[in-house]
Amino acid sequence: MFPQISSFPNLLDAFAGACQGKRDKPNVATFEANLENEVFQLKIELDSGAYRPGPYKAFQIYEPKERTISAAPFRDRVVHHALCNVIEPVFEKTFIHDTYANRLGKGSHRGIHRCQQYLKNYRHALKTDIRKYFPSIDHVILKQLIRQKIDCPRTLWLIELIIDGSNPQEEIAEYFAGDDLFTPHERRRGLPMGNLTSQFFANFYLSPLDHFVKETLRLPYLRYVDDFVLFSNDKAELETARQRIESFLGEHLRLRLHPKKTHIIPCEKGITFLGQRIFRTHRLLCKANVRRFYKRLRKRLALFRAGKLHPDKLEAQLNSWLGHAKQADTFRLRRKILHQLFFEYGLNVVEAPNGAWKVLERPRK
């Protein structure tokens, strides 16, 4: 497996994946300017075992909630993509059908559609997620789970090098059965949000839970990273499932359910999942999601009018959000944003034949 990871074509393909949407960044431009030598040097370091990850740069984001994002050096991100290109098919075989994050042919929109299907067929839903998920992922358990799927020593060396190279994450003092006073501080935990490998490993880490729910509890279920929903016609059955899931997570994965985000909900009232309010007959965007976009778009329009944002970038950001919004029943909302807000900034938007929206200066009278 390792020669595939470190092959020159795979590393070139990994560069193409890592630089998507980031070619204007200085570190990406520097790498690309000397692409052949940079990729060849990475290949030499990987093949010889001399490769070592560089230090992370951490920064805070505050929307939709405060979180720490850790950015790896660009050459390390190329290695992350090269690794995932090769190991992804191995792990794909282990996933259940109804897990939707970081998988080809899945994604949030398919997860939302599946959730709506379940809402139509059941009376109650258990909606929950994991408390402080990324900072709580236990390195020892993660490595054990990975070793059950991969036996190539050099590939395991690279995977564990990336895991061990994680920068310190938020301290979580959780105690589980058999722990002594010092156990939570002695075990290494946490994956840096922002890495492709972190997203991939975080999705895989809950695979044992997927199989427990589907094969032992035998309940309809879907998951997107650490957000998951179970369905039943019996409310008491879901309460029992919640208790058994809590026990399973604590015993096998050293995780806790989020106490304030764990609810049993009547399906007829709808459910909030993956940024949408999902009902049996229709779907709406969450108000907080719309407010964040409206605020961001105002800032970008101001930058655009000041000549500090390229039209292509504004249109790419606009069309990305509109593509998401079109998955819900948002025709009037989209029309209001496109016409009222752009009119305020002296701009027009027109739909191109391919369905994308173009931003145009409004003719002056």
Side-chain angles (χ1 to χ4, degrees), residues 39 90 111 142 144 159 164 199-200 226 245 253 280 287 292 360:
V39 171
V90 176
L142 175 60
Q144 289 171 346
I159 289 172
D164 292 340
Q199 298 168 20
F200 185 85
D226 65 317
I245 287 171
L253 300 175
R280 288 170 170 171
K287 290 181 180 179
R292 284 195 300 272
L360 304 173

Side-chain angles (χ1 to χ4, degrees), residues 232-362:
S232 174
N233 288 321
D234 186 348
K235 188 175 180 180
E237 184 178 37
L238 289 178
E239 176 57 31
T240 301
R242 181 193 63 78
Q243 295 172 11
R244 295 188 67 183
I245 287 171
E246 283 188 317
S247 298
F248 180 89
L249 289 172
E251 180 180 351
H252 296 281
L253 300 175
R254 296 182 64 84
L255 297 172
R256 303 271 191 217
L257 293 180
H258 198 301
K260 295 182 180 179
K261 297 182 180 179
T262 301
H263 308 285
I264 296 176
I265 305 163
C267 289
E268 64 184 10
K269 293 186 176 181
I271 190 170
T272 301
F273 187 58
L274 301 180
Q276 292 192 13
R277 282 288 298 158
I278 308 170
F279 299 89
R280 288 170 170 171
T281 58
H282 63 286
R283 306 198 296 260
L284 303 174
L285 292 184
C286 294
K287 290 181 180 179
N289 180 301
V290 176
R291 284 196 298 267
R292 284 195 300 272
F293 173 73
Y294 204 81
K295 183 179 178 180
R296 287 198 302 267
L297 185 58
R298 274 189 172 280
K299 291 180 179 178
R300 288 163 183 164
L301 287 171
L303 289 171
F304 175 76
R305 295 302 278 153
K308 297 179 180 179
L309 184 66
H310 194 277
D312 290 347
K313 194 154 190 179
L314 174 62
E315 289 167 0
Q317 294 166 341
L318 174 65
N319 282 291
S320 175
W321 186 83
L322 289 175
H324 170 68
K326 286 170 69 174
Q327 301 298 318
D329 299 284
T330 58
F331 177 77
R332 286 185 296 177
L333 172 67
R334 285 179 280 129
R335 185 172 60 179
K336 177 181 177 181
I337 289 176
L338 287 175
H339 295 287
Q340 291 187 5
L341 188 55
F342 278 78
F343 184 88
E344 181 183 329
Y345 281 86
L347 300 168
N348 282 334
V349 284
V350 295
E351 190 170 11
N354 63 359
W357 289 88
K358 303 289 290 182
V359 179
L360 304 173
E361 294 279 355
R362 188 180 309 117

Side-chain angles (χ1 to χ4, degrees), residues 177-189:
D179 287 359
D180 59 31
L181 182 63
F182 303 102
T183 301
H185 307 285
E186 292 170 345
R187 298 182 71 102
R188 282 213 67 194
R189 290 174 301 179

